[in-house]
Every structure is written in C-alpha cells, then in structure tokens.
C-alpha cells in the first residue's frame, strides 16, 4: 500500500518508512507469495515439482485442474512475478520461490505431482526420458542359449 496506482498513475511517497521495507532480497522475493490466493498458491506448489521451462500441457498434467482454473492461477502467478513466460514456456521467476513452494507441498501431493510429471514426460512422442531408458536396456540373444538377456 506504500506504492499504489490511482487513475492509471503510479503514486510514490516522498519517503518510505523503513519498517515497511523487506529486510533482505530473499524476504522481498518471498513476500510475493503472500499476495497469492489460496488456489494460485496451491497450483504454484504443484508446478514446483518441475524446473526449467514448463509447457502448457505439462502444467495441465501436473495440476490436474480444469483449464479455466489453471489459466486463472497461472495468470495470478505471473501477475505477482512468481512465474514468468518466455519463448520456451512458463518458468519460476526465481529458484527461491520454486523451492519455497515445493517445501510447502505435502509428501502425498508431491509424489502424486511427480508421478503426473513423469507420466507426461514419458508420453511425449520424442521423449528424451524414453530414449534414455531404451538405450539402457537393449535385449541381446546369446547364441549358445535359448534365453534372452538384457544388458544395462
């Protein structure tokens, strides 16, 4: 409330009381989370199981929410700069924010979100995950045996 917008004009005070300023850069970043609605914060928690660029499809798979609810939450996360959009997709504005949201996620929800993330990645047509798995387990046939062995 120290800096506010009035009739499309930003109003800045001449002086800002020291007690309203964050004590550190980390505190300033984390204060963004307090601006989120409960729904947006929960979506942020779920999305925090992934790092790097998040596609819209990945966000939908991990959140499991209806598209309209997910879009609303993502808009709010971006509005408060918890997440940002770039040419590669959606990503957390700072690793500290992702880490804090991930730490707030209960173990059961974290495991479910990680499982949804893994399933989504494995289902991609050109999944690096699946290429890696298939290269690690190549079936070979031993000519002197009728058994097939798998080398890892």
């Amino acid at each position: 409330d120290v800096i506010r917008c009035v009739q499309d004009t930003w109003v800045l005070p001449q002086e800002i009381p020291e007690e309203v300023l964050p004590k550190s850069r980390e505190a300033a970043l984390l204060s963004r989370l307090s601006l989120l609605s409960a729904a947006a914060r929960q979506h942020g928690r779920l999305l925090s199981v992934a790092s790097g660029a998040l596609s819209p499809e990945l966000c939908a798979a991990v959140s499991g929410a209806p598209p309209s609810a997910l879009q609303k939450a993502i808009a709010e996360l971006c509005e408060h700069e918890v997440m940002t959009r770039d040419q590669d997709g959606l990503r957390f504005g700072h690793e500290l924010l992702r880490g804090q949201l991930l730490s707030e996620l209960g173990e059961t929800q974290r495991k479910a979100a990680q499982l949804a993330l893994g399933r989504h990645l494995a289902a991609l047509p050109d999944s690096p995950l699946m290429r890696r798995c298939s290269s690690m387990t190549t079936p070979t046939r031993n000519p002197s045996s009728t058994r097939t062995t798998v080398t890892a």
Side-chain angles (χ1 to χ4, degrees), residues 49-148:
V49 300
S51 59
L54 312 179
S55 69
E57 297 81 14
L58 185 144
C59 292
V62 171
S63 78
S68 60
L70 178 60
Q71 288 172 358
K72 183 178 177 183
I74 288 173
E76 188 176 338
L77 289 162
C78 289
E79 177 186 339
H80 296 294
E81 298 180 342
V82 173
M83 299 191 88
T84 60
R85 294 181 196 272
D86 63 21
Q87 68 275 9
D88 296 325
L90 192 67
R91 57 180 80 241
F92 282 90
H94 196 281
E95 182 59 27
L96 182 68
L97 295 168
R98 188 183 82 80
Q100 176 61 37
L101 289 168
L102 184 60
S103 74
E104 295 174 8
L105 200 56
E107 184 177 353
T108 303
Q109 286 185 320
R110 181 182 48 78
K111 285 181 179 181
Q114 287 172 331
L115 181 60
L117 172 64
R119 285 182 174 151
H120 173 77
L121 294 176
L124 292 175
D126 192 28
S127 171
L129 179 64
M130 293 311 288
R131 280 198 313 266
R132 183 171 178 216
C133 289
S134 65
S135 71
M136 291 172 58
T137 57
T138 310
T140 59
R141 197 165 275 285
N142 184 339
S144 64
S145 171
T146 58
R147 290 187 288 172
T148 300

Side-chain angles (χ1 to χ4, degrees), residues 22-54:
K23 302 296 180 212
S24 65
R25 178 175 182 249
E26 290 79 13
L29 281 168
L30 292 174
S31 70
R32 295 176 188 177
L33 298 177
S34 67
L35 303 172
L36 298 173
S37 67
R41 192 165 183 144
Q42 180 59 21
H43 279 86
R45 287 182 189 117
L46 293 170
L47 297 176
S48 72
V49 300
S51 59
L54 312 179

